[in-house]
Amino acid sequence: MTRFFWLGEDAAAASNQGGYIDAWHKWSLPGVHCPTCSATWSDVGHAYPCVDMSHLPERALFERARPEPFSEFARLRELVRPLAPPHATLPPGTGFGPLTGKATGRFGPVAWVEQLLLLVHPDVLSRLQAEGVEGLVSCRTELTFRRKTPPTFLELQIEPRGRLHPDCVPPEVPPPCGTCGRHGFTRPEAPILDAASLPSGVDLFRIGNFATMVIGTERFMEAAQRQKLDGITFKELPARR
């Protein structure tokens, strides 16, 4: 049976390196104000850095974070949907395009942005793929470094694939809003994965109903440890049907 691990940033390794990245994706869907549940919200963790919106005539509408009425949000979402993967749900706040911003200090073979986005050197990606890690998709970044010989980082496009088990949702929490899809519950102290929802052929993915959580398979974990990828922590999570 495949084992699954919750990935995080190794704070000690990051502190030793001293690097810091202040950057985010070039475009994003706006937040939304929902007429049904009355929530004004935006999600975090849904990002498609390989989606290029530079040829979209309305791209300027995706350059500024703001809430919009649901009707306008839905219109903008349909503009970008043909560019996104067919399975993408595209909630409010979904990011697109290359990571853009500034980086200072020194970095190891991997780097995290806001403990959410995972960056790797090109040779690290090649080594992981040579180890048999499946489903890795990488995208260029547009980071500015204050160094004569700056490193090259690629962002891994880690897509939502699995879900938390229904038992992780408190019974008093209302079901997802039928209009905007918001499901307002906090991350459980002891997360459980929904085994029936977990993908095959993909060794790195996010949790669809809690996309800030990055999950790796045992194969990814073992490959990362063999390659001595300092900067990533692993916590095994149970899976239940």
Side-chain angles (χ1 to χ4, degrees):
M1 176 179 288
T2 301
R3 299 163 66 199
F4 295 91
F5 297 82
W6 179 9
L7 275 60
E9 180 179 14
D10 187 332
S15 178
N16 290 337
Q17 294 291 340
Y20 176 71
I21 297 174
D22 182 13
W24 207 247
H25 299 106
K26 183 173 289 189
W27 304 286
S28 65
L29 282 172
V32 69
H33 176 69
C34 180
T36 301
C37 67
S38 300
T40 298
W41 67 286
S42 180
D43 212 341
V44 178
H46 295 261
Y48 298 91
C50 296
V51 171
D52 182 8
M53 297 176 63
S54 60
H55 300 292
L56 190 69
E58 302 88 346
R59 61 186 177 277
L61 298 175
F62 299 87
E63 294 176 353
R64 181 173 62 85
R66 69 209 183 272
E68 291 282 5
F70 180 79
S71 58
E72 175 63 4
F73 163 77
R75 184 185 76 84
L76 295 175
R77 180 169 57 185
E78 292 312 304
L79 291 177
V80 74
R81 192 180 296 280
L83 305 176
H87 56 267
T89 56
L90 306 180
T94 299
F96 308 99
L99 193 66
T100 304
K102 298 179 179 180
T104 57
R106 305 191 67 84
F107 298 89
V110 304
W112 290 84
V113 180
E114 301 293 338
Q115 303 182 43
L116 288 171
L117 312 179
L118 184 57
L119 314 185
V120 299
H121 293 311
D123 66 300
V124 170
L125 176 66
S126 298
R127 297 201 309 267
L128 289 173
Q129 291 172 328
E131 291 262 14
V133 176
E134 296 183 331
L136 296 181
V137 177
S138 65
C139 315
R140 65 185 179 89
T141 61
E142 295 182 354
L143 297 174
T144 302
F145 290 84
R146 296 179 179 176
R147 292 170 57 181
K148 292 182 179 180
T149 55
T152 299
F153 272 121
L154 301 172
E155 180 182 353
L156 296 181
Q157 180 167 290
I158 308 174
E159 301 179 16
R161 297 283 184 165
R163 299 183 67 80
L164 290 178
H165 194 275
D167 288 350
C168 292
V169 183
E172 67 273 13
V173 172
C177 175
T179 299
C180 69
R182 181 178 183 271
H183 198 192
F185 66 96
T186 57
R187 187 178 67 206
E189 293 185 5
I192 302 169
L193 303 177
D194 182 1
S197 73
L198 300 178
S200 60
V202 179
D203 288 316
L204 195 64
F205 57 94
R206 294 183 183 275
I207 296 299
N209 56 349
F210 222 101
T212 57
M213 296 180 65
V214 177
I215 305 298
T217 62
E218 183 176 11
R219 175 162 46 196
F220 179 88
M221 184 269 292
E222 291 179 344
Q225 292 183 339
R226 283 194 296 268
Q227 294 298 325
K228 300 184 181 344
L229 298 187
D230 296 336
I232 304 176
T233 62
F234 296 91
K235 178 180 179 180
E236 186 168 3
L237 294 182
R240 180 190 305 165
R241 290 191 178 273

